[in-house]
Amino acid sequence: MPNPLPFDTTDIRLLVTDMDGTLLDEEGRIPDGLWPRLEALTERGIVFAPASGRQYGMIARLFEQVLAGMVVIAENGAFVVQDGEELSSITIERSGAARIVDALRAYEAAGNEVGLVVCGKRGAYVERTDPMFAKAFSQYYAYLTAVDDALDHDDEILKLAVADFEGQGRLVKALEPFAASHQVVVSGQHWVDIMSPAVDKGVAVRALQQRLGVTPAQTVAFGDYLNDLQMLDAAEHSFAMANAHPAVQERAKHITASNTEGGVLQVIDRILAA
């Protein structure tokens, strides 16, 4: 039997986990051992909710075999869906998005290598389709449209995701003029997300807790990167992965094994053993 956790697990009702670098393995796949554990969590009355910067369509595809009834927190909390029904969303005004896109085009024209994805409710939109950029975005977006102008559509805009292939430090600095009106979040080694200041995974988790009648004391959360911090704050029982960013490890209440060692599955086993 797994070692018990340092808190009472008998009243846990919600388990929320980031995906890349947290739940998914080194190849970006859901570990096979998750499926029987999800069934056991459901039998215990514990809601499982993936929470990711990924597009809803991509998350839904990964969890297709168990999607019925599942709550999906997508686009860093900007879009929450259950059974195809929108539970909540927070969008970016198109005029603000246009100003940011203009700034990114100027940044690229100055010799910086970046790629932009405009993330909407129905799908995502890109201008670049070259192999380097396609490799960067293909694992995150199931519904993607190549367009001449990334804003030339009528979809509601949830997020702008920008890949900087030289690292995001310079890009974050270039986006500082928008920090007062938008949220600029480092979401991965090469990715920066730009969203409404009202969006983060923690906001989405708290709204879900309220909807389900679940408290932070009944919530377990897992994360590895900076865009997971607010989500961890929303759970009394928060776990950082062994491979997590140092700031995430400092913020979380507990540390579990890395994503490559199945750290999330290990904690689930300890919850189910109670």
Side-chain angles (χ1 to χ4, degrees):
M1 178 179 295
N3 293 329
L5 291 166
F7 55 86
D8 181 14
T9 63
T10 59
D11 195 34
I12 297 300
R13 292 292 175 265
L14 175 62
L15 191 152
V16 186
T17 180
D18 173 56
M19 293 181 63
D20 294 281
T22 301
L23 175 64
L24 303 185
D25 66 17
E26 62 271 27
E27 301 297 328
R29 300 170 302 198
I30 293 175
D32 289 337
L34 179 65
W35 309 119
R37 289 172 172 88
L38 290 186
E39 184 176 351
L41 288 172
T42 300
E43 291 174 356
R44 278 275 296 268
I46 299 173
V47 174
F48 175 88
S52 175
R54 289 180 180 232
Q55 179 188 63
Y56 168 73
M58 178 59 79
I59 303 171
R61 178 180 292 179
L62 289 172
F63 286 97
E64 183 177 11
Q65 67 190 68
V66 293
L67 192 61
M70 178 180 286
V71 177
V72 173
I73 300 172
E75 306 287 10
N76 277 329
F79 198 38
V80 183
V81 179
Q82 183 179 31
D83 288 332
E85 176 188 354
E86 176 183 321
L87 300 186
S88 64
S89 65
I90 303 175
T91 59
I92 300 175
E93 288 188 7
R94 186 168 291 270
S95 59
R99 289 192 296 271
I100 296 168
V101 170
D102 286 343
L104 289 169
R105 287 172 176 158
Y107 180 74
E108 187 166 29
N112 301 289
E113 189 75 16
V114 297
L116 168 67
V117 183
V118 173
C119 306
K121 290 184 179 181
R122 298 196 304 269
Y125 308 89
V126 294
E127 298 172 2
R128 286 186 58 174
T129 57
D130 54 279
M132 180 172 68
F133 187 45
K135 182 179 179 180
F137 64 61
S138 60
Q139 62 182 310
Y140 302 115
Y141 300 97
Y143 301 104
L144 193 74
T145 302
V147 291
D148 292 332
D149 183 334
L151 295 176
D152 187 17
H153 54 81
D154 62 358
D155 205 348
E156 294 180 78
I157 299 172
L158 297 165
K159 182 182 74 176
L160 304 180
V162 190
D164 189 326
F165 302 103
E166 301 299 323
Q168 352 81 342
R170 293 177 307 163
L171 176 59
V172 170
K173 186 172 180 60
L175 292 169
E176 283 180 356
F178 301 100
S181 57
H182 294 78
Q183 185 177 182
V184 179
V185 179
V186 175
S187 59
Q189 183 179 1
H190 298 292
W191 288 94
V192 174
D193 290 344
I194 306 151
M195 305 169 291
S196 161
V199 170
D200 62 55
K201 291 182 183 180
V203 169
V205 169
R206 289 187 175 93
L208 180 58
Q209 288 168 332
Q210 184 173 11
R211 185 181 184 94
L212 297 174
V214 169
T215 68
Q218 295 173 309
T219 305
V220 176
F222 301 86
D224 78 301
Y225 215 74
L226 301 176
N227 60 332
D228 297 322
L229 290 172
Q230 293 88 349
M231 177 178 71
L232 297 180
D233 291 343
E236 191 168 302
H237 311 298
S238 55
F239 287 83
M241 314 307 290
N243 54 288
H245 189 285
V248 178
Q249 294 194 3
E250 183 176 350
R251 188 91 144 245
K253 299 283 184 62
H254 311 283
I255 307 292
T256 188
S258 71
N259 66 311
T260 61
E261 298 171 314
V264 173
L265 302 189
Q266 291 183 32
V267 175
I268 290 175
D269 284 343
R270 294 161 77 183
I271 291 172
L272 293 172

